[in-house]
Amino acid sequence: MLKADEKLPAKRLGWRWLLFLPYIGLLFPSFYARETPTLFSFPFFYWYQFLWVPLTALLVGLVYWRNR
């Protein structure tokens, strides 16, 4: 654990910027609020959001692993 007066090295802090990708990717529904292209008969609106679930888990795992 870090003490109150310690700071993270810039290299470790840089990995945390990856956590903003899911936020930015889902921030503007006007981008993905459409039907085409479909994937297995699911409209883009649904599969785009579902795609972010495992992608976010991978990103969180990567950031955790790099910041241990």
Side-chain angles (χ1 to χ4, degrees), residues 21-56:
L21 289 177
Y23 177 74
I24 300 298
L26 295 167
L27 184 62
F28 302 105
S30 59
F31 166 72
Y32 56 89
R34 59 180 190 251
E35 282 194 40
T36 58
T38 59
L39 181 67
F40 304 117
S41 74
F42 285 100
F44 183 71
F45 179 76
Y46 292 111
W47 69 260
Y48 179 78
Q49 293 175 78
F50 284 133
L51 178 68
W52 277 105
V53 173
L55 192 60
T56 300

Side-chain angles (χ1 to χ4, degrees), residues 1 6-7 15 18 21 30 33 41 51 57:
M1 297 292 303
E6 292 181 32
K7 292 188 177 187
W15 284 97
L18 287 176
L21 289 177
S30 59
S41 74
L51 178 68

